[in-house]
Amino acid sequence: AQRVTQPEKLLSVFKGAPVELKCNYSYSGSPELFWYVQYSRQRLQLLLRHISRESIKGFTADLNKGETSFHLKKPFAQEEDSAMYYCALSDIQGAQKLVFGQGTRLTINP
Amino acid sequence: EAQVTQNPRYLITVTGKKLTVTCSQNMNHEYMSWYRQDPGLGLRQIYYSMNVEVTDKGDVPEGYKVSRKEKRNFPLILESPSPNQTSLYFCASSLRVGAYEQYFGPGTRLTVT
């Protein structure tokens, strides 16, 4: 079954420190993977998707098929990065849905 | 402005009283979906729709109904709400399923007493 696991519910780092939010997935085919972010009092929005191979707000994520991971990284955290982050997998071969992880609440301390 | 709207944003109701949460998108998207967000459980899909008159169950469909009579609207119906349906609900739409971005509504916070 398709599954997305984010092992950390809470992550707290200091401003300027590197950030890594972990995401592991279970999927039988070639996955379409995303990171969504929810800032305080805002709606959920797309941060980046692996197919685009781009850096958004300094964040990058590399798909590692061998380790079935899609970790989100940023070299220098900023206070405005504090938010809820969700890793998601698009199940295009099965039930045609987006499967979300449990989310990681990232707090950047000044 | 391209967006997904939901109404109401907040709702407090009693067990058994039928309610509908509306969802509308103005982007001519084919795919629409409903999720519920609960602490520690993330977002779980309730129902989705690939196009007009095409709907299917997600992971947690029990106690919910949906309809897709028009492309832009995808209402979520709770025929007989129960306290375990107290949650934050999100509607989302995308051009299609797959590598396409999903656009989310602002959320509806529902409390069933």
Side-chain angles (χ1 to χ4, degrees), chain A residues 40-51:
Chain A
S40 179
R41 285 188 286 276
Q42 293 187 29
R43 62 185 71 191
L44 207 67
Q45 58 188 285
L46 178 68
L47 180 62
L48 55 80
R49 55 190 135 183
H50 92 272
I51 197 170

Side-chain angles (χ1 to χ4, degrees), chain A residues 9 32 34 36 38 42-46 49 51 84 86 90-92 94-103, chain B residues 3-5 31 35 37 40-43 45 48 50 58-59 88 90 97-102 104-106:
Chain A
K9 286 188 178 178
E32 300 284 357
F34 307 80
Y36 281 81
Q38 188 175 28
Q42 293 187 29
R43 62 185 71 191
L44 207 67
Q45 58 188 285
L46 178 68
R49 55 190 135 183
I51 197 170
M84 192 75 176
Y86 288 97
S90 183
D91 179 7
I92 58 174
Q96 308 293 316
K97 62 183 183 182
L98 204 59
V99 177
F100 284 86
Q102 299 92 326
Chain B
Q3 62 180 343
V4 178
T5 56
Y31 187 87
Y35 300 89
Q37 184 183 39
L41 297 177
L43 283 97
Q45 191 180 50
Y48 65 93
M50 302 280 282
D59 294 317
L88 181 57
F90 288 99
V97 74
Y100 298 94
E101 176 180 359
Q102 287 211 7
F104 285 81

Side-chain angles (χ1 to χ4, degrees), chain B residues 61-104:
Chain B
E62 294 78 21
Y64 305 94
K65 284 175 57 176
V66 293
S67 68
R68 187 94 181 270
K69 294 186 172 64
E70 306 164 283
K71 200 169 187 177
R72 64 184 294 125
N73 296 323
F74 190 47
L76 179 70
I77 303 155
L78 284 73
E79 294 270 2
S80 182
S82 62
N84 64 12
Q85 293 179 298
T86 293
S87 187
L88 181 57
Y89 291 86
F90 288 99
C91 180
S93 75
S94 64
L95 189 61
R96 290 179 200 90
V97 74
Y100 298 94
E101 176 180 359
Q102 287 211 7
Y103 294 82
F104 285 81

Side-chain angles (χ1 to χ4, degrees), chain A residues 1 3 14 16-17 20 28 48 56 58 61-62 70-71 73 82-83 89 92 97 99-101 106-107 109:
Chain A
R3 184 179 299 170
F14 285 102
E20 182 179 49
S28 57
L48 55 80
I56 305 292
D62 292 319
F70 188 56
H71 302 328
K73 300 177 184 178
S82 293
L89 178 152
I92 58 174
K97 62 183 183 182
V99 177
F100 284 86
L106 175 65
T107 301
N109 300 306

